[in-house]
Amino acid sequence: MAESVVLDTVDLQILRLLQNDARTTYRELAAEVGVAPSTCLDRVTRLRRTGVILGHQLRLDPAKLGRGLEALLLVQVRPHRRELIGPFVERIRALPESRALFHLTGPDDYLVHVTVADPADLQRLVLDEFTSQREVARVETRLIFQQWECGPLMPPGAGPSLSAV
Amino acid sequence: MAESVVLDTVDLQILRLLQNDARTTYRELAAEVGVAPSTCLDRVTRLRRTGVILGHQLRLDPAKLGRGLEALLLVQVRPHRRELIGPFVERIRALPESRALFHLTGPDDYLVHVTVADPADLQRLVLDEFTSQREVARVETRLIFQQWECGPLMPPGAGPSLSAV
DNA sequence: GCTGAAATCTGTCGGCG
DNA sequence: CGCCGACAGATTTCAGC
């Protein structure tokens, strides 16, 4: 599980470029980074094998899919025991409205990022899937005005090379 | 901006498959969906052009990049006026630790998802980039025990067809 | 890590239903 | 008008060095 991975500048440049556009061809990567296309393929294959790259994801516009309203739900699950939170997590993950789920420290045990059609849809979701459940002690709903994805994920102090576990 | 988009079962199947693996070839998509590869290309091109597909993203493992600790920061920005929140948002987005930023309703104005190396790194981030700033009235830090991405994003009541805006 | 070549894929085009 | 099938160009992938 704790496999050691060493990343050099070539790896980091490739990752930065692919985060900018995950469909960049090996040819283009090679031209930018200054190595052969096959080397880029080798690097990317290794980054996938070692688990640095987890996968390629499609970014969709929820509004275009009829889910123009987004919200974060802060949820207390009580009692906070494995027998209850296991099924809770699986149930929430399976909801078509759920985009992401976080298990947190602090007064709220879980944060759920949901996408719904409109306020009525959100109300239905909160009432039918959260507050109606025995293990859900409290739900706090926060609407999302706007959201931003931030810059590329890079190692701290992105020097010329580093080792991570 | 409010371009009308109609999605049929073929589009929805393609989106579902591409969310599972964004690098699925048109050939494979065609085989699964039961249409010609060129038709899949046409559909995907149209989905890109109409803004349903926003782009292709690389999913990376923060832990493998030396950012094994993740947290959510709840931030109050006061006074909550455009002159202050504009620069605040840009500054937070530019931090290498920031993964995502949400502008919310409720007592906390912003939620920031951050990835750091360790608790000392988190402490530095909170003190130097948040509480030290004049406009930041309050910061609440919640560590992330575990997180899950949820199922594919699909339209509400994913019937055989739908129209979205 | 590179080169080069084979296999595969992408994207275009004209035609068909 | 959208779907199909074939084609040319580009990309991926794999030996061998």
Side-chain angles (χ1 to χ4, degrees):
Chain A
M1 188 211 267
E3 185 182 0
S4 192
V5 183
V6 179
L7 304 172
D8 63 11
T9 22
V10 173
D11 292 312
L12 294 179
Q13 278 185 274
I14 289 175
L15 288 177
R16 187 151 28 220
L17 290 165
L18 284 177
Q19 280 182 90
N20 188 265
D21 176 8
R23 297 201 328 165
T24 308
T25 64
Y26 295 122
R27 175 189 277 265
E28 284 177 299
L29 289 177
E32 291 278 348
V33 177
V35 295
S38 59
T39 303
C40 287
L41 173 64
D42 289 343
R43 296 305 189 100
V44 172
T45 303
R46 193 168 67 88
L47 290 168
R48 290 184 138 276
R49 187 174 44 76
T50 56
V52 177
I53 296 175
L54 295 172
H56 290 248
Q57 225 177 13
L58 209 59
R59 233 156 42 77
L60 301 181
D61 184 348
K64 291 283 170 63
L65 289 163
R67 296 183 175 278
L69 183 60
E70 302 195 47
L72 299 180
L73 307 182
L74 292 160
V75 185
Q76 276 186 5
V77 174
R78 296 296 149 77
H80 202 60
R81 295 165 54 197
R82 281 192 186 275
E83 305 91 84
L84 285 169
I85 68 175
F88 170 80
V89 165
E90 286 316 310
R91 196 168 57 75
I92 299 308
R93 289 187 63 188
L95 293 174
E97 290 86 0
S98 297
R99 305 309 325 138
L101 174 62
F102 299 85
H103 188 191
L104 301 177
T105 65
D108 307 294
D109 304 311
Y110 290 93
L111 183 138
V112 194
H113 180 179
V114 300
T115 55
V116 294
D118 50 46
D121 197 20
L122 182 59
Q123 182 186 38
R124 175 198 55 76
L125 181 70
V126 170
L127 293 177
D128 294 351
E129 301 293 346
F130 288 86
T131 59
S132 65
Q133 301 297 312
R134 198 56 73 81
E135 75 273 18
V136 174
R138 204 174 69 90
V139 178
E140 203 176 316
T141 304
R142 313 247 178 129
L143 299 186
I144 297 173
F145 284 137
Q146 195 176 0
Q147 58 186 299
W148 299 267
E149 301 199 350
C150 302
L153 175 60
M154 281 289 137
S161 84
L162 84 155
S163 69
V165 179
Chain B
M1 188 211 266
E3 186 182 1
S4 192
V5 183
V6 179
L7 304 172
D8 64 10
T9 21
V10 173
D11 293 311
L12 294 179
Q13 279 186 272
I14 289 174
L15 288 178
R16 188 152 26 219
L17 290 165
L18 284 178
Q19 280 181 90
N20 188 265
D21 175 8
R23 295 199 331 164
T24 309
T25 64
Y26 297 121
R27 214 169 258 273
E28 286 176 298
L29 289 178
E32 291 279 348
V33 176
V35 295
S38 56
T39 302
C40 285
L41 174 64
D42 288 342
R43 295 306 189 100
V44 172
T45 304
R46 193 168 65 88
L47 290 168
R48 290 182 140 278
R49 186 174 45 76
T50 55
V52 177
I53 295 176
L54 295 172
H56 292 249
Q57 219 177 15
L58 210 59
R59 234 157 42 76
L60 301 180
D61 184 348
K64 291 283 170 63
L65 288 164
R67 296 183 174 277
L69 182 61
E70 301 194 48
L72 300 180
L73 308 181
L74 291 160
V75 184
Q76 275 186 6
V77 175
R78 296 295 148 78
H80 201 60
R81 295 165 54 197
R82 282 191 187 274
E83 305 90 84
L84 285 170
I85 68 176
F88 170 80
V89 165
E90 287 316 310
R91 196 168 57 74
I92 299 308
R93 289 187 65 188
L95 294 174
E97 291 86 0
S98 297
R99 306 310 324 138
L101 174 63
F102 298 85
H103 188 191
L104 301 177
T105 64
D108 307 294
D109 304 311
Y110 290 94
L111 183 138
V112 195
H113 180 180
V114 299
T115 54
V116 293
D118 49 48
D121 197 21
L122 181 59
Q123 183 186 37
R124 175 197 57 75
L125 181 70
V126 170
L127 293 177
D128 293 351
E129 300 293 346
F130 288 86
T131 60
S132 65
Q133 301 298 311
R134 197 55 73 81
E135 75 274 18
V136 174
R138 204 174 69 90
V139 178
E140 202 176 317
T141 304
R142 313 249 178 127
L143 299 186
I144 297 173
F145 284 138
Q146 195 175 0
Q147 58 186 298
W148 299 266
E149 301 200 350
C150 302
L153 174 60
M154 281 288 138
S161 84
L162 84 154
S163 70
V165 179

